[in-house]
Amino acid sequence: MRFNKLRLAGFKSFCEATDFTIEPGLTGIVGPNGCGKSNLVEALRWVMGENSYKNMRASGMEDVIFSGSGNRPARNMAEVGLVLDNADRLAPAAFNDAETIEVTRRIEREAGSTYRVNGREVRARDVQLLFADASTGARSPALVRQGQIGEIIAAKPQARRLILEEAAGVSGLHSRRHEAELRLKGAEENLVRLEDVLAQIDQQIESLKRQARQATRYKGLAAEIRRYQALALHISWRDEEQRFIDAQHRLDADMRDVAERTADQAETARLQAIAAAALPPLREEEARAGAGLHRLILAREALDGEERRARDRAAELERRVAQLAQDAARETALIEDAVASLERLGQEDAALFEEQGASEAARASAAARLSEAEQVLSAAEVRLNDAQAALADLNARRNALAAALAEETRRLARFEGEWTAIAAERDRLNVEASGLSASAEDMAELEALNARLAAAEAQSLAAEAVHAEARESEALTRGPLNEAERHAQRLETETRTLMKLLGSDSGGLWPPVVESLSVEKGYEAALGAALGDDLDASTNTSAPAHWTSLDGDFDPPGLPPGVESLASLVKAPPALQRRLSQIGIVLRGEGRALLPLMKIGQRLVSKEGDLWRWDGFVSAAEAPTPAARRLAEKNRLGDLMREAEAARQ
């Protein structure tokens, strides 16, 4: 598949319509970071059917639309078109009617995207199959990106199979087969659902048959019901006809009664007309009486309102008189205070005028006193700091003494209890012995026991004093002990952590030779520069890369005069002895001068990690290699173990 042109409009950083012509041969894109080089590759992937906004470095698919800048407004749509060369007519039959094929994808905000091929709208699946038939596509390995070679090497067999299928040109067939399998699976599911529907329809047919039988029975019963209803209606019509005849007779009687009552009503109407003629004078008299009563009620209400307003006005005037009296008293007091203030201000003005002359001398004296006070303040602050430190020490000693006092108080209480018990026992014995004749031997034994008791009490007091001194000494030495324990725990924790790190890196089927090396402290970088990646090889002969011990005598050529061999500083397996014997350790300034004196295969290294090789290769010291760092960590582990043991002791 050959690309002729890429057209962009509103896609990411391409605000205006841009045509990117792809000529035969190799086409390179050069520019600084952020100029939009990657946007061209993403445009190719997007027009080929990429549907993952994460692969487009966006938080949503609409983010591919130009979002505006300081000089340009945001666009509402983005469009990318790709023109393909179809002169060999190798495209699928649906798109093989022209020498060029133009694939376009257009997206609008909140409207989704559409695909067109030569102006005809198609599905996204059709576009993906078009490129898959040509062994390419949005996620094809043919579009090589950074890190893809390593991913292919470490890929699983299933991923490699996809790559081989695309290389063989069958990825489109694979996609079509997958789509056909999906359709077949859908057809199978539809057949299963159809069988379920047929079973359900059979059940419905049985139900409808039962309903048809019930409907036939219903029709027969309905016909009988209608016949019986017609008979009942006929009987009811006969009864209603008889009732109609009876109603006609009652109507005639009622008409005669109405005629009689009409005559009575006419007489009553005549009498009502006579009474109505006499009613207007009586109504006029009632209206005049009601108007007079209403006027009297209004007058009474007006008088009551005037009385209430008069009482309220009198109360308000009384309150205002009391308030005016209070205001007058307050104003009189304010006037007196103002007069007193004026007199006092006059006196103060005179005093200030007299004191103004002596203010300069007072200011100088105050400045001198201020300087002296600042000196005294600084000395007092120094004494305060010393006093606070002494107070902290005294508080610590007081707390220790308080704890010792509490302990001694508990012991004293226990001793007093024991003393009381002993005294009670002694009194009891004295009472028992009072009735007996004590012999001389018993009295002597009693005196001896009393002497021993006095000696035991003296020893107890001495022991308590020694115990108090020991507690005070223990309280004073507990601080250094705690600090030493924290230091030892910190060293042990660091030792365990470093052992875990070294243990996690030393596993594997073929452990590297660096695990069996030990070097003098400070020469780790020199050994790492001398051996480099060879330290990662194993001494196991079954490993792909390994060190082998060679039999036979070996007469190594001598190093340049005055150069010490690195083998004397390294404890290594025998397989490395030949290599280490041809590596010398020198100072940084001596390496270049000794370079012409080296024999074939020899190397010189500095303690800092500089390297000079016999063939003229020179490497300056850089960051330490992983092997050198591992050797330094092993040496550090040994130092930590010794320091932790010393700290624990």
Side-chain angles (χ1 to χ4, degrees):
M1 176 175 287
R2 292 190 296 272
F3 299 162
N4 290 342
K5 184 187 296 183
L6 180 66
R7 182 180 298 109
L8 305 96
F11 183 83
K12 286 199 171 184
S13 60
F14 293 92
C15 175
E16 303 296 337
T18 304
D19 288 341
F20 180 70
T21 303
I22 304 175
E23 300 292 348
L26 296 179
T27 300
I29 307 170
V30 181
N33 292 336
C35 69
K37 301 187 297 298
S38 299
N39 293 342
L40 292 174
V41 180
E42 291 176 357
L44 280 174
R45 294 182 183 273
W46 189 66
V47 76
M48 288 181 182
E50 178 61 62
N51 293 323
S52 175
Y53 60 86
K54 293 182 180 179
N55 292 337
M56 303 302 297
R57 299 183 303 168
S59 58
M61 190 54 75
E62 292 185 357
D63 289 348
V64 303
I65 303 175
F66 180 72
S67 59
S69 62
N71 300 325
R72 298 174 182 269
R75 298 289 296 271
N76 193 41
M77 54 79 66
E79 183 176 5
V80 176
L82 182 62
V83 179
L84 309 176
D85 185 4
N86 191 33
D88 298 336
R89 301 302 178 100
L90 298 177
F95 313 114
N96 204 18
D97 55 353
E99 292 186 356
T100 59
I101 300 175
E102 183 176 2
V103 181
T104 60
R105 182 177 181 180
R106 179 188 181 94
I107 185 172
E108 297 183 5
R109 296 188 187 276
E110 300 179 359
S113 58
T114 58
Y115 293 85
R116 293 181 182 275
V117 176
N118 289 339
R120 179 164 55 91
E121 186 171 348
V122 296
R123 302 176 304 168
R125 185 66 179 172
D126 298 331
V127 174
Q128 293 171 356
L129 287 175
L130 171 64
F131 289 102
D133 289 338
S135 299
T136 184
R139 301 184 183 180
S140 171
L143 294 178
V144 181
R145 64 180 184 279
Q146 183 178 2
Q148 186 173 0
I149 303 301
E151 293 178 2
I152 293 175
I153 294 174
K156 296 181 179 179
Q158 187 67 21
R160 294 183 179 178
R161 176 187 173 185
L162 297 177
I163 297 172
L164 295 175
E165 287 179 352
E166 183 167 322
V170 297
S171 57
L173 298 177
H174 182 72
S175 300
R176 287 186 173 86
R177 185 189 68 181
H178 179 65
E179 185 176 3
E181 289 176 352
L182 293 178
R183 291 180 179 176
L184 288 175
K185 187 176 180 180
E188 291 176 356
E189 294 177 354
N190 292 334
L191 288 175
V192 173
R193 288 198 296 270
L194 181 59
E195 292 177 356
D196 296 338
V197 171
L198 289 176
Q200 186 176 3
I201 290 175
D202 291 338
Q203 295 176 359
Q204 292 178 357
I205 289 173
E206 293 296 330
S207 176
L208 291 174
K209 287 180 179 180
R210 290 193 299 269
Q211 293 176 7
R213 289 192 296 268
Q214 293 175 358
T216 303
R217 184 181 177 188
Y218 169 77
K219 288 181 179 180
L221 294 175
E224 292 182 4
I225 290 171
R226 284 195 297 273
R227 185 168 59 82
Y228 289 132
Q229 285 179 349
L231 182 59
L233 290 174
H234 179 70
I235 295 171
S236 176
W237 176 75
R238 294 290 299 275
D239 294 340
E240 292 296 332
E241 187 177 9
Q242 184 62 37
R243 284 196 295 271
F244 177 73
I245 295 172
D246 296 339
Q248 286 288 341
H249 295 318
R250 287 195 301 273
L251 178 60
D252 293 339
D254 291 339
M255 291 297 291
R256 288 191 297 272
D257 188 14
V258 168
E260 293 175 359
R261 292 180 182 276
T262 300
D264 294 339
Q265 190 270 340
E267 182 64 23
T268 304
R270 185 180 63 80
L271 295 176
Q272 181 183 6
I274 295 172
L279 185 60
L282 297 176
R283 286 183 175 175
E284 291 178 0
E285 186 65 25
E286 180 186 7
R288 285 193 297 271
L293 178 61
H294 184 64
R295 285 195 298 273
L296 292 175
I297 292 172
L298 292 177
R300 185 186 66 182
E301 292 177 353
L303 292 174
D304 292 341
E306 289 293 335
E307 183 180 3
R308 286 195 300 272
R309 286 193 294 274
R311 286 198 299 269
D312 295 341
R313 181 63 177 169
E316 183 181 358
L317 291 176
E318 290 177 358
R319 288 194 300 272
R320 292 192 64 184
V321 168
Q323 184 177 1
L324 289 174
Q326 294 175 359
D327 293 343
R330 186 172 63 254
E331 293 297 332
T332 302
L334 291 175
I335 291 172
E336 293 176 355
D337 292 341
V339 172
S341 298
L342 289 174
E343 293 178 356
R344 187 174 63 254
L345 290 174
Q347 295 174 0
E348 291 178 357
D349 189 12
L352 290 173
F353 183 76
E354 293 176 357
E355 293 176 358
Q356 185 176 4
S359 62
E360 296 297 332
R363 184 180 296 107
S365 177
R369 289 197 302 272
L370 176 61
S371 177
E372 294 176 358
E374 288 178 349
Q375 296 176 358
V376 172
L377 177 60
S378 61
E381 288 178 349
V382 173
R383 290 195 300 274
L384 176 60
N385 294 331
D386 297 338
Q388 287 178 348
L391 178 60
D393 296 337
L394 291 176
N395 287 333
R397 294 188 62 188
R398 183 184 65 182
N399 294 333
L401 292 175
L405 178 60
E407 179 65 23
E408 296 302 328
T409 303
R410 289 193 294 271
R411 294 186 63 200
L412 178 61
R414 186 172 68 254
F415 289 154
E416 288 178 352
E418 295 176 358
W419 172 260
T420 304
I422 293 171
E425 182 68 19
R426 186 183 63 185
D427 294 339
R428 185 180 63 79
L429 293 176
N430 290 332
V431 171
E432 291 178 356
S434 61
L436 301 175
S437 58
S439 61
E441 292 81 3
D442 294 335
M443 294 300 295
E445 185 178 358
L446 179 62
E447 291 177 358
L449 290 174
N450 289 331
R452 290 174 60 187
L453 176 63
E457 290 178 353
Q459 291 178 0
S460 175
L461 294 176
E464 289 176 358
V466 173
H467 184 266
E469 294 177 358
R471 282 186 174 276
E472 183 177 359
S473 176
E474 187 267 343
L476 294 176
T477 56
R478 183 172 294 278
L481 174 62
N482 294 334
E483 181 65 26
E485 287 180 347
R486 286 194 294 271
H487 180 62
Q489 291 175 358
R490 184 167 60 252
L491 291 175
E492 290 174 352
T493 302
E494 187 175 356
T495 301
R496 288 193 297 271
T497 304
L498 195 55
M499 290 176 67
K500 288 181 180 179
L501 291 175
L502 293 175
S504 63
D505 294 340
S506 62
L509 183 60
W510 299 304
V513 71
V514 69
E515 297 298 331
S516 57
L517 287 176
S518 63
V519 63
E520 293 291 336
K521 188 175 180 180
Y523 291 91
E524 297 88 353
L527 182 59
L531 297 181
D533 295 337
D534 295 341
L535 290 172
D536 295 332
S538 176
T539 55
N540 192 338
T541 56
S542 60
H546 60 271
W547 290 88
T548 303
S549 297
L550 299 177
D551 298 331
D553 296 334
F554 174 65
D555 187 13
L559 294 170
V563 176
E564 182 183 3
S565 174
L566 187 60
S568 61
L569 304 173
V570 179
K571 294 180 180 179
L576 271 72
Q577 291 302 321
R578 291 195 179 191
R579 179 71 172 273
L580 293 175
S581 64
Q582 296 301 301
I583 300 174
I585 185 75
V586 297
L587 299 177
R588 300 190 73 174
E590 299 175 353
R592 185 171 296 277
L594 296 174
L595 186 60
L597 304 179
M598 285 191 292
K599 307 296 190 299
I600 296 176
Q602 292 182 346
R603 301 185 181 192
L604 297 178
V605 292
S606 67
K607 191 175 181 180
E608 292 78 8
D610 301 286
L611 173 66
W612 297 271
R613 206 164 60 189
W614 63 276
D615 53 0
F617 178 79
V618 177
S619 175
E622 296 179 353
T625 62
R629 286 197 297 268
R630 187 165 181 80
L631 291 171
E633 289 172 354
K634 290 178 65 176
N635 290 337
R636 173 61 178 162
L637 177 60
D639 295 341
L640 286 175
M641 294 176 67
R642 289 189 293 273
E643 291 179 9
E645 180 64 24
R648 180 57 63 187
Q649 292 297 329

